[in-house]
Amino acid sequence: ALVLAALAVLACQVVPRGGRVWKWRCGAPGEADKGANVLFYNCHFRTGQEEVPTATAMLVNRQGDILMVGDLNDTREKDQGAELFDLNGKYCIPGLIDSHVHMILGGLSLSQLDLRGVNSKAEFISKVNEASRNIEPGMWLMGYGWDENKWGGDGIPEADWIDDATRENPVLLSRVDGHLALVNTVALNLANITKDSTDPDGGAIGMYKDRGTPNGILKDNAISIVHNLKPPLTKPERKGAIKQAMQYALSNGVTMVHDMGTPMMAQTLDLSLADLTEVYMELANDDELPIRVYACVPLKGTEHLIRFIAKEGWKHRSGKLFWGCVKEFYDGSLGSETALMHEPYNGGGSNRGLRIHDPEILERDVSFASTVGLRVIMHAIGDAAVDEASDILLKSMR
């Protein structure tokens, strides 16, 4: 037998998922006493230990701690009162860790228009038309996941594609990478975006080449011009989104996430900070975190995080919630042609992508965060962005 403290298991009942993934859900009733340990057996476990590389049984308590692995006889001898659970010869792996997620946005996306599988302009338009028929006038139509690379030669969508079907609703449809969005004319008018509008720092407003008027495409920081028109999410809405995202994670065998938070292009700094200090903290206090979460806040919130750490330390007493990281964007993405490159993108133009922040200000903020012991996470995609961001990070370590 071998004690393995590092493997991740969640509490109470194992549920099969498509014959491949199992999750152990907290709070599910069993025939045995709810406080009893659970003994999983008749399964293939890989321990990661050279001296005992495999096992066929595992004893776990209700708090999610692995007490022992080995064979059935050894583990039963350890606790003869444990509730038995036959896994019928399945292969079992430790819980997976996803090191880059956005839990609130991910949870919200589960109830938004899903455009990931769209393969043509006609299908894109059809999906939007159908969705618009199912919402009340004035409501926002939100969607995500489109990728023009799947559509052949139709190119990036424009407001003209969807305006006829969405005359009574503002629309915001994010590209698969989240760094580019299509909005309709209703949304453009609400945001007062016109042919005379200038690009915000770290963003770009698309224009029709033949008309010189906005075509509905917004890049990076320009997205916030429209996104910020939406009523801010309430605390219950943000909690609900996180809960949905956590259940989705569990259903795929993910038992810990590194939450990069909601980008400031999608909400204010105050709300991004409150996602940790209020929303996640309340979920942890109420024992409503079935997975472990390492929660980040925007780099601009460094001083707020320092004060929070001075009061609360670096983790929640439950052992389910951790913090101490700050996140910032240096550029956009390759697919949206907003990743910062040394050379222009193909197509004959001069576009090399976007530098979202002033490097000198970013260097100052990164250095300060590093000095006080925070972990700085930088989004940098293009080769020029990687070079410049790396220089900033290296300087902060000296």
Side-chain angles (χ1 to χ4, degrees):
L2 182 69
V3 176
L4 294 177
L7 294 179
V9 177
L10 298 172
C12 293
Q13 184 184 15
V14 172
V15 181
R17 288 284 179 179
R20 296 183 297 105
V21 177
W22 298 74
K23 68 177 179 179
W24 200 25
R25 281 200 303 226
C26 187
E31 294 181 0
D33 181 86
K34 290 185 178 180
N37 296 328
V38 177
L39 175 55
F40 299 103
Y41 69 98
N42 188 17
C43 187
H44 301 282
F45 298 102
R46 298 197 65 84
T47 68
Q49 305 294 314
E50 290 184 7
E51 59 271 29
V52 186
T54 61
T56 57
M58 178 171 66
L59 181 66
V60 189
N61 67 20
R62 299 282 166 165
Q63 288 71 50
D65 301 316
I66 294 176
L67 305 177
M68 187 178 190
V69 295
D71 61 28
L72 180 59
N73 291 334
D74 288 339
T75 47
R76 287 202 71 176
E77 185 177 339
K78 175 77 172 178
D79 184 354
Q80 296 185 3
E83 181 178 1
L84 298 178
F85 204 104
D86 187 350
L87 295 182
N88 300 311
K90 300 290 184 183
Y91 282 86
C92 294
I93 62 172
L96 303 174
I97 300 175
D98 192 325
S99 61
H100 189 135
V101 300
H102 300 276
M103 293 297 278
I104 291 178
L105 293 180
L108 292 172
S109 73
L110 296 174
S111 57
Q112 294 177 349
L113 176 60
D114 186 352
L115 299 168
R116 289 174 297 174
V118 171
N119 293 311
S120 68
K121 174 181 178 179
E123 186 180 2
F124 180 91
I125 295 173
S126 175
K127 288 269 190 182
V128 175
N129 288 353
E130 181 180 357
S132 67
R133 290 194 291 268
N134 296 322
I135 59 174
E136 297 294 325
M139 290 182 62
W140 282 81
L141 173 57
M142 304 293 292
Y144 74 101
W146 57 267
D147 183 354
E148 77 285 358
N149 293 308
K150 298 180 179 180
W151 306 343
D154 289 321
I156 291 177
E158 297 176 324
D160 283 354
W161 292 21
I162 60 175
D163 276 344
D164 286 345
T166 60
R167 297 184 184 279
E168 297 182 324
N169 301 90
V171 178
L172 193 156
L173 308 174
S174 298
R175 192 180 183 276
V176 65
D177 54 19
H179 290 266
L180 188 151
L182 172 69
V183 301
N184 66 345
T185 296
V186 174
L188 289 171
N189 290 339
L190 286 174
N192 196 30
I193 295 176
T194 70
K195 64 182 178 62
D196 298 317
S197 297
T198 57
D199 293 338
D201 290 340
I205 298 170
M207 299 284 177
Y208 288 109
K209 293 181 179 180
D210 57 342
R211 291 172 249 172
T213 56
N215 65 1
I217 289 297
L218 304 176
K219 297 184 177 184
D220 283 293
N221 284 351
I223 298 172
S224 63
I225 301 173
V226 170
H227 207 295
N228 290 342
L229 296 174
K230 292 177 70 271
L233 295 172
T234 65
K235 187 189 295 183
E237 288 173 331
R238 282 140 65 209
K239 276 188 179 180
I242 290 174
K243 288 181 179 180
Q244 280 190 287
M246 289 191 296
Q247 290 304 315
Y248 182 79
L250 279 175
S251 72
N252 288 280
V254 175
T255 59
M256 182 175 184
V257 297
H258 295 191
D259 187 356
M260 299 295 107
T262 301
M264 288 176 58
M265 68 180 70
Q267 68 177 17
T268 64
L269 175 61
D270 287 344
L271 283 179
S272 293
L273 292 167
D275 289 342
L276 167 60
T277 61
E278 297 179 18
V279 179
Y280 266 126
M281 284 296 284
E282 289 182 11
L283 289 170
N285 289 338
D286 295 337
D287 196 26
E288 293 187 289
L289 290 179
I291 65 176
R292 292 172 294 150
V293 178
Y294 183 42
C296 300
V297 301
L299 178 64
K300 291 184 182 295
T302 292
E303 292 187 0
H304 299 270
L305 184 58
I306 293 169
R307 292 193 291 270
F308 180 72
I309 291 171
K311 178 182 177 182
E312 301 288 350
W314 296 82
K315 65 180 179 179
H316 190 268
R317 62 181 180 275
S318 65
K320 292 290 187 67
L321 178 61
F322 310 83
W323 50 82
C325 52
V326 288
K327 164 76 184 294
E328 191 52 274
F329 290 87
Y330 200 93
D331 66 344
S333 71
L334 289 170
S336 296
E337 295 191 356
T338 55
L340 185 65
M341 308 297 290
H342 286 298
E343 300 294 334
Y345 285 88
N346 291 336
S350 60
N351 175 38
R352 297 194 302 112
L354 294 173
R355 184 183 288 105
I356 292 180
H357 296 288
D358 183 296
E360 291 186 5
I361 295 175
L362 197 58
E363 183 176 333
R364 179 200 65 194
D365 294 345
V366 168
S367 178
F368 175 62
S370 297
T371 299
V372 297
L374 301 180
R375 294 180 178 177
V376 179
I377 299 171
M378 189 89 73
H379 169 108
I381 302 298
D383 55 0
V386 170
D387 287 345
E388 295 177 19
S390 297
D391 286 343
I392 289 174
L393 291 170
L394 287 170
K395 288 178 182 179
S396 73
M397 299 176 187
R398 293 168 185 165

